[in-house]
Amino acid sequence: MSNADPKNSLKIIAATILILATVGYLAYTGVRDNKSYYVTISELQGMGNKAYVRHLRVAGNVAPGSIHRVGTNATFDLLEQGHHLQVSYQGTEPPPDTFKDDAQALAVGTFGRDGVFHATEIQAKCASKYAPVPNQQPATTTAATALPAAR
C-alpha cells in the first residue's frame, strides 16, 4: 500500500497544470506577436484599417534616386507593378551593401496612418547580379559539343 499524502498529490498536479498553462500561453503569444504577413504593395494599400494593426512584410524594387541615408536609418520608395510605397527604415543595423537603386528589397515592419511603411528590418539583393548579361547567348550543351569526336 502507498503512504502518499493525497494533499501532496493535488499540489503536484495543480503546479504541473499551472506550469503547462503558463508555457502554453507564452508560446501562443510569442508566435502571434512575431508573425508577419507578406503582402504586395497593392494588397497593403487595399487592406484598410487591418493594415495598421499587423506586422507586415512588403517587397518591391527600390525607386532610383529615392534613397536618403542618415546613420543607420534610411528613407526610400518601393515600386511594384505601378504601385508606390514610401518606406522609413529605423533599425540598429545599417541597410545592407546590396541596398541600392533598382535592387529588390523586402521591408519588415508596420504601416502607419501617415501612409508610410515603418520598417525595422530590410533585406535586399542587387538586381544586376541576377540579371542576364545583355546581348549574350545562353550557354547550351548539345551531344555534338559534349562528347569528343570519335576517330
Side-chain angles (χ1 to χ4, degrees):
M1 289 226 139
S2 170
N3 290 344
D5 185 9
K7 288 183 180 180
N8 284 339
S9 296
L10 286 176
K11 288 179 184 178
I12 292 172
I13 291 171
T16 302
I17 291 172
L18 181 63
I19 290 169
L20 290 174
T22 302
V23 168
Y25 172 77
L26 291 173
Y28 170 74
T29 58
V31 167
R32 183 191 68 207
D33 293 344
N34 288 324
K35 185 171 31 175
S36 61
Y37 296 93
Y38 175 81
V39 294
T40 64
I41 295 172
S42 58
E43 289 172 339
L44 171 66
Q45 293 170 341
M47 286 177 68
N49 287 333
K50 287 191 277 185
Y52 305 124
V53 295
R54 291 196 172 155
H55 199 252
L56 302 168
R57 302 165 62 109
V58 181
N61 291 335
V62 178
S66 69
I67 300 173
H68 302 286
R69 298 176 190 242
V70 178
T72 59
N73 301 331
T75 59
F76 60 96
D77 295 336
L78 282 179
L79 302 174
E80 177 257 332
Q81 297 182 355
H83 296 278
H84 168 270
L85 178 66
Q86 185 179 1
V87 179
S88 174
Y89 167 70
Q90 294 187 348
T92 56
E93 299 283 326
D97 292 339
T98 54
F99 181 70
K100 298 177 180 175
D101 288 350
D102 291 320
Q104 293 177 353
L106 175 73
V108 180
T110 56
F111 189 56
R113 294 193 182 273
D114 57 359
V116 176
F117 189 82
H118 299 276
T120 55
E121 182 182 341
I122 295 177
Q123 298 174 2
K125 68 178 182 179
C126 180
S128 63
K129 181 177 179 181
Y130 302 101
V133 177
N135 299 326
Q136 183 176 354
Q137 296 295 325
T140 57
T141 305
T142 63
T145 59
L147 301 174
R151 294 185 183 210

